[in-house]
């Protein structure tokens, strides 16, 4: 049972493993992750996958880890740690971060990760109304969005953002004085709409963008909200997005890059 780099041919096995762990098939998401990152795994002796994990580098300084899964029949065999060590070798000197459940946190701590924050996943039928403050993004906006994101996110994720028009259902920008000050996207993940990424100058811009991205769907909407923003958490709950599920933000190496004050929602918890 050795660690190997997975390919798009392994997509069905990845989805099957995720379903077996009650994560959902998420085929649209898995396909995107294979396009932008390195997926590694261990084959199960009886077929399928025993364990997986994903690394997405952002330039030479940062990377995200996610999709750390182990099949039920192969737990407590150190498989997740083996795959993770392969990813961390590939990451080199980059600062690496991930979102961890409480159950997974001890594994990551043994690998040198430390907790730096908490995020709550809020889901529900969005009961708010569009703000009208934003507009649909166009191809002409791409350079400005990339420049804003590089400044706020603090690392190069242009590879992801260039794929947003094809991956997302909605991409919107917010302008002030003829300059783009915020942007966000909404994408479909099986039976829910995920809002992210989202960058804005302040709370009011963030809620305006979220409203325009979240309104009008016939599916539940998901927001992954930093618990250091109680005002935004209360705003979401008041608009039907409750039942919070917590995750811990963990980092290995240096500090998280970028301007946290303007980074309101991750692209997805798999990518930061």
């Amino acid at each position: 049972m050795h660690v190997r780099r997975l390919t798009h041919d392994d997509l069905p096995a990845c989805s099957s493993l995720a379903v077996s762990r009650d994560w959902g098939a998420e085929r649209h998401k898995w396909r995107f992750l294979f396009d932008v990152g390195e997926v590694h795994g261990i084959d199960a002796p009886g077929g399928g996958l025993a364990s997986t994990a994903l690394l997405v580098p952002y330039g030479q300084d940062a990377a995200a880890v996610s999709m750390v899964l182990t099949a039920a029949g192969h737990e407590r065999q150190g498989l997740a740690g083996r795959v993770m060590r392969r990813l961390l070798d590939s990451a080199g000197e980059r600062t690496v971060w991930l979102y961890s459940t409480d159950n997974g946190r001890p594994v990551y701590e043994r690998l040198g990760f430390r907790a730096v924050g908490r995020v709550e996943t809020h889901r529900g039928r969005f009961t708010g109304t569009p703000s009208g403050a934003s507009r649909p993004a166009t191809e002409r906006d791409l350079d400005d969005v990339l420049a804003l994101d590089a400044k706020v996110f603090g690392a190069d994720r242009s590879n992801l953002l260039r794929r947003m028009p094809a991956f997302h259902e909605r991409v919107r920008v917010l302008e002030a004085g003829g300059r783009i000050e915020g942007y966000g996207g909404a994408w479909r993940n099986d039976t829910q709409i995920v809002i992210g990424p989202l960058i804005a100058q302040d709370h009011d811009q963030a809620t305006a963008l979220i409203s325009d991205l979240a309104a009008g769907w016939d599916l539940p909407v998901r927001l992954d909200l930093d618990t250091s923003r109680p005002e935004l958490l209360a705003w979401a709950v008041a608009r039907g997005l409750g039942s919070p599920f917590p995750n811990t933000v963990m980092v290995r190496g240096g500090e998280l890059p970028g301007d946290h004050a303007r980074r309101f929602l991750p692209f997805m918890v798999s990518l930061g």
Side-chain angles (χ1 to χ4, degrees):
M1 298 178 71
H2 66 278
V3 181
R4 66 176 177 90
R5 176 83 176 262
L6 304 184
T7 72
H8 283 77
D9 292 338
D10 295 299
L11 270 167
C14 290
S15 289
S16 294
L17 174 57
V19 169
S20 76
R21 304 307 313 214
D22 298 322
W23 278 28
E26 300 185 316
R27 292 180 181 88
H28 179 54
K29 173 182 170 182
W30 272 108
R31 191 172 296 108
F32 183 84
L33 294 175
F34 268 91
D35 288 341
V36 300
E38 303 175 16
V39 186
H40 294 256
I42 297 175
D43 294 304
L49 289 166
S51 189
T52 62
L54 164 82
L55 175 75
V56 178
Y58 297 124
Q60 299 301 311
D61 299 322
V65 164
S66 63
M67 309 310 282
V68 182
L69 283 160
T70 300
H74 296 282
E75 293 173 306
R76 292 179 169 80
Q77 298 177 19
L79 301 188
R82 287 171 58 187
V83 181
M84 282 290 297
R85 282 188 285 274
R86 171 67 64 85
L87 296 189
L88 294 176
D89 286 345
S90 183
E93 297 301 315
R94 292 179 177 91
T95 296
V96 181
W97 72 90
L98 53 79
Y99 293 75
S100 172
T101 63
D102 290 341
N103 287 338
R105 183 169 170 174
V107 174
Y108 305 127
E109 288 176 338
R110 288 195 291 271
L111 291 168
F113 285 84
R114 66 189 187 280
V116 296
R118 294 281 278 180
V119 167
E120 285 183 355
T121 296
H122 285 248
R123 295 187 184 91
R125 298 279 179 168
F126 184 73
T127 60
T129 57
S131 72
S134 67
R135 63 167 175 80
T138 70
E139 187 176 351
R140 294 191 301 272
D141 298 318
L142 180 59
D143 288 344
D144 290 337
V145 167
L146 292 178
L148 174 63
D149 190 80
K151 184 176 182 180
V152 175
F153 189 72
D156 180 13
R157 59 175 177 176
S158 58
N159 184 37
L160 278 64
L161 302 187
R162 293 181 187 278
R163 299 171 187 268
M164 285 182 67
F167 181 73
H168 283 67
E169 302 279 335
R170 296 178 185 172
V171 182
R172 301 186 70 89
V173 296
L174 194 152
E175 292 179 302
R179 184 181 65 177
I180 292 177
E181 292 194 339
Y183 82 91
W187 57 279
R188 188 185 299 264
N189 190 26
D190 292 346
T191 58
Q192 64 181 344
I193 298 296
V194 182
I195 308 300
L198 195 135
I199 282 175
Q201 300 299 306
D202 53 35
H203 172 86
D204 290 341
Q205 283 193 358
T207 55
L209 271 167
I210 293 172
S211 295
D212 292 347
L213 291 164
W217 296 103
D218 59 357
L219 294 172
V221 169
R222 168 175 170 165
L223 302 179
D224 297 295
L225 299 169
D226 196 308
T227 58
S228 67
R229 302 183 189 274
E231 185 180 6
L232 188 55
L233 292 169
W235 179 90
V237 170
R239 285 152 184 82
L241 308 182
S243 304
F245 178 82
N247 281 287
T248 300
V249 185
M250 304 190 75
V251 175
R252 183 180 187 269
E255 300 299 321
L256 278 175
D259 182 356
H260 176 77
R262 291 189 285 170
R263 197 170 59 233
F264 282 84
L265 290 172
F267 197 109
M268 60 179 78
V269 291
S270 302
L271 296 173

